[in-house]
Amino acid sequence: MANTIESHCLHCMQRSDIFTKLAEGELAQVNACRVSIRYHAGEVVFKQGSPCHDFVCITSGMLKLYREDENDKRIIIGFAKPVDYIFVPGAFTDKRHHFSAIACEETTACLVGIEVFEKLLRDNHDFAAAFMAKISEQSIRFIEQMSSLVQKQMPGRMADVLIELSKGVYNSNPFVSSLSRQDLADMSGMTKESAIRILKTFRDDELIRTEGDTIEILNYPMLERISRNG
Amino acid sequence: MANTIESHCLHCMQRSDIFTKLAEGELAQVNACRVSIRYHAGEVVFKQGSPCHDFVCITSGMLKLYREDENDKRIIIGFAKPVDYIFVPGAFTDKRHHFSAIACEETTACLVGIEVFEKLLRDNHDFAAAFMAKISEQSIRFIEQMSSLVQKQMPGRMADVLIELSKGVYNSNPFVSSLSRQDLADMSGMTKESAIRILKTFRDDELIRTEGDTIEILNYPMLERISRNG
DNA sequence: GCTATTTGATGATATAAATCATGTAAAAGC
DNA sequence: GCTTTTACATGATTTATATCATCAAATAGC
């Protein structure tokens, strides 16, 4: 079930800003406890409602994080990519997962027990401060997403999503994405048909170009204006 | 401008779960730095976009926290009531406020500089752990609010709001609220007229009773069912 | 390589919610 | 106490978006 992917955390986690705060001894502690697992695209890493024992650190690939409701509707609330861990609020509250995580593509992740993480937070002030910064950034993203969902109409919401994918997730323009139209719809709080229609009007207006899995933003200023005004 | 409300933090903050983690010496440190201020209903405590220097601890009254957009639309993302502090993510990121806070009614609050708070977090593990739990609860509420806003229709959203006010804000049924119809609309992502209409159908269906500022939930199980199913 | 399934796309129609206009009641101000 | 302003409420209409049906293209499975 579990394949050892990285030989040692020291070699791997140097690339993550938060883990650079850890000393070699601390990294060794994490390395000793982690379980490294490979997930195929479509596989669930953790399920909303299930018990929450571990922190998940992504070493390759990408996960999408989403909330499901009683009627099988989903909203995507974020992504996790290398090298980063997923902040799971249930770790500090009721020990339950409040959203699910699925691999978008072939993904490898290391699972680290919550208590190991808690010890690092207790003992390493720099690590704790960087962790607090990350949590705060996520809170801000949640607030911005709520604002987008409620205060903007569909073009504004889709503009938000495309800008966030380009600037915040793939860090590139154009970008190649494994996300389906349903995924884009789930990020922007609309149905798949509506998402497809908005993308078509963006292409017709020469704001973007799509070609297979590639999306290119052709007119950033105009897209940002649509984003601002809804 | 500033009136000293409480004589000492020791006498005041004993009532807050997180501040009970502080020793007398730590409370004295906070007491020495705090500025206590009274706000009238409608006054702004801090404004979205403004620089973020302080943590705000409410000692009486209530604040509503909301996000504004370019078109003056608002969404209420939470409340702050005694005795509690407001988690402001900007304190740990860009030193800017990402939402505004206004007094709903006559409110008193103590402002404590961020660096004082950061020192407490660094030196007191129990305090830091309790703080982390609070932040995590807020994250969960944000996720639940997003789910409500996107995945439910108006009756489900209003049911969510009424249940949250009864269970989570006022801790009582019936409850007396200073919130306007516009506030209820801003919490549930609908216009004021739509909010008024949904409340009327709830009254007609004998789910709730409203009388002036008082709202009573008459049929909790049915309201919870509407909440679940949207 | 062929078949079945899924995804992307389009068009027509229905529904949910917003907007606009107006009136009444309550609260605020003088 | 009276007048003005604001909040609550209602009705009609418009707009935004979802839903449903269908087809073509791409992908998955055998």
Side-chain angles (χ1 to χ4, degrees):
Chain A
M1 174 269 282
N3 294 327
T4 299
I5 310 301
E6 294 291 336
S7 59
H8 196 292
C9 299
L10 184 59
H11 302 117
C12 170
M13 288 172 174
Q14 282 174 318
R15 288 174 284 158
S16 170
D17 60 355
I18 189 171
F19 290 104
T20 59
K21 313 292 187 186
L22 299 181
E24 287 196 26
E26 289 169 321
L27 279 173
Q29 274 181 332
V30 174
N31 188 70
C33 302
R34 72 185 171 89
V35 174
S36 183
I37 307 186
R38 170 178 287 157
Y39 298 92
H40 297 297
E43 287 185 334
V44 172
V45 174
F46 55 80
K47 183 73 170 172
Q48 178 180 329
S50 65
C52 169
H53 302 300
D54 307 294
F55 273 92
V56 178
C57 180
I58 315 307
T59 47
S60 74
M62 189 165 87
L63 304 184
K64 63 191 176 192
L65 314 177
Y66 61 94
R67 172 84 173 190
E68 304 175 85
D69 79 346
E70 308 262 326
N71 308 311
D72 289 332
K73 285 181 187 167
R74 290 181 172 186
I75 173 176
I76 287 176
I77 61 176
F79 296 94
K81 53 178 181 157
V83 181
D84 218 338
Y85 63 90
I86 301 172
F87 169 57
V88 283
F92 303 97
T93 54
D94 55 358
K95 305 297 181 215
R96 296 266 168 206
H97 282 299
H98 292 265
F99 53 85
S100 304
I102 289 198
C104 299
E105 55 201 60
E106 190 88 350
T107 297
T108 56
C110 294
L111 310 191
V112 178
I114 293 176
E115 56 302 320
V116 175
F117 225 84
E118 281 175 334
K119 189 173 186 310
L120 290 176
L121 287 171
R122 194 159 48 240
D123 297 344
N124 186 324
H125 298 142
D126 290 335
F127 180 77
F131 189 76
M132 188 69 65
K134 290 283 249 175
I135 291 177
S136 299
E137 283 163 12
Q138 189 188 50
S139 272
I140 292 168
R141 277 197 298 276
F142 282 169
I143 293 169
E144 286 172 348
Q145 186 174 6
M146 275 200 273
S147 175
S148 177
L149 292 167
V150 166
Q151 292 164 332
K152 299 176 187 180
Q153 297 188 327
M154 294 195 300
R157 303 207 301 274
M158 184 57 77
D160 284 341
V161 163
L162 294 175
I163 291 170
E164 169 63 15
L165 288 174
S166 174
K167 282 184 169 175
V169 178
Y170 296 106
N171 296 310
S172 111
N173 185 32
F175 57 91
V176 177
S177 174
S178 56
L179 299 178
S180 66
R181 294 307 185 245
Q182 183 62 59
D183 288 331
L184 299 181
D186 290 344
M187 288 177 75
S188 50
M190 63 181 75
T191 60
K192 180 195 65 172
E193 293 93 336
S194 298
I196 288 170
R197 285 188 235 283
I198 300 291
L199 290 172
K200 181 184 194 319
T201 65
F202 281 2
R203 282 199 303 274
D204 292 347
D205 295 342
E206 296 184 352
L207 302 177
I208 65 171
R209 178 183 68 83
T210 65
E211 190 172 323
D213 287 352
T214 300
I215 298 177
E216 179 177 8
I217 296 175
L218 300 174
N219 190 337
Y220 239 104
M222 180 58 68
L223 204 63
E224 280 173 335
R225 187 165 139 198
I226 293 173
S227 166
R228 271 195 304 282
N229 296 336
Chain B
M1 172 271 282
N3 293 326
T4 300
I5 310 301
E6 295 292 335
S7 60
H8 197 289
C9 298
L10 186 58
H11 301 117
C12 170
M13 290 175 172
Q14 282 174 319
R15 286 174 284 159
S16 168
D17 59 356
I18 189 171
F19 290 104
T20 59
K21 313 292 188 187
L22 298 181
E24 287 196 26
E26 288 169 324
L27 280 173
Q29 274 181 331
V30 174
N31 188 71
C33 302
R34 72 185 171 92
V35 174
S36 184
I37 307 185
R38 170 176 289 157
Y39 299 91
H40 298 296
E43 287 184 333
V44 172
V45 175
F46 55 81
K47 183 74 169 171
Q48 177 179 330
S50 64
C52 168
H53 302 299
D54 307 292
F55 275 94
V56 179
C57 181
I58 316 307
T59 47
S60 74
M62 188 165 85
L63 303 184
K64 63 191 175 191
L65 314 176
Y66 61 95
R67 172 86 174 189
E68 303 176 86
D69 79 345
E70 308 260 327
N71 309 310
D72 289 333
K73 285 181 189 168
R74 291 181 173 187
I75 171 176
I76 287 175
I77 61 176
F79 296 95
K81 51 180 181 154
V83 179
D84 218 337
Y85 62 90
I86 301 172
F87 169 57
V88 284
F92 302 98
T93 54
D94 55 359
K95 306 297 180 215
R96 296 266 167 207
H97 282 299
H98 292 266
F99 54 87
S100 306
I102 290 197
C104 298
E105 55 201 59
E106 188 88 350
T107 297
T108 57
C110 293
L111 309 191
V112 179
I114 293 177
E115 56 301 319
V116 174
F117 225 84
E118 281 176 334
K119 189 173 185 310
L120 290 175
L121 287 170
R122 192 159 49 240
D123 297 343
N124 187 324
H125 298 141
D126 290 337
F127 179 76
F131 188 75
M132 188 70 63
K134 289 282 245 174
I135 291 176
S136 300
E137 283 164 13
Q138 190 190 48
S139 271
I140 293 168
R141 279 198 296 277
F142 282 170
I143 293 169
E144 286 171 350
Q145 187 175 5
M146 275 200 274
S147 176
S148 177
L149 291 167
V150 168
Q151 291 164 333
K152 297 176 188 179
Q153 297 189 326
M154 294 197 302
R157 303 206 301 272
M158 183 59 75
D160 284 341
V161 162
L162 294 176
I163 290 170
E164 169 63 15
L165 287 174
S166 173
K167 282 184 170 176
V169 178
Y170 297 106
N171 297 308
S172 107
N173 184 31
F175 58 90
V176 178
S177 175
S178 57
L179 299 178
S180 67
R181 294 307 185 244
Q182 183 62 58
D183 288 331
L184 299 182
D186 290 344
M187 286 178 76
S188 50
M190 61 181 77
T191 61
K192 181 196 62 176
E193 294 92 337
S194 297
I196 288 169
R197 284 188 235 283
I198 300 290
L199 289 173
K200 181 185 194 315
T201 64
F202 282 2
R203 284 200 302 277
D204 291 347
D205 295 343
E206 296 183 352
L207 301 177
I208 65 171
R209 176 183 71 81
T210 65
E211 191 172 320
D213 286 350
T214 300
I215 298 178
E216 179 177 8
I217 296 177
L218 300 174
N219 190 337
Y220 237 105
M222 181 58 70
L223 204 65
E224 280 172 337
R225 189 164 135 195
I226 292 173
S227 166
R228 269 196 305 282
N229 296 335

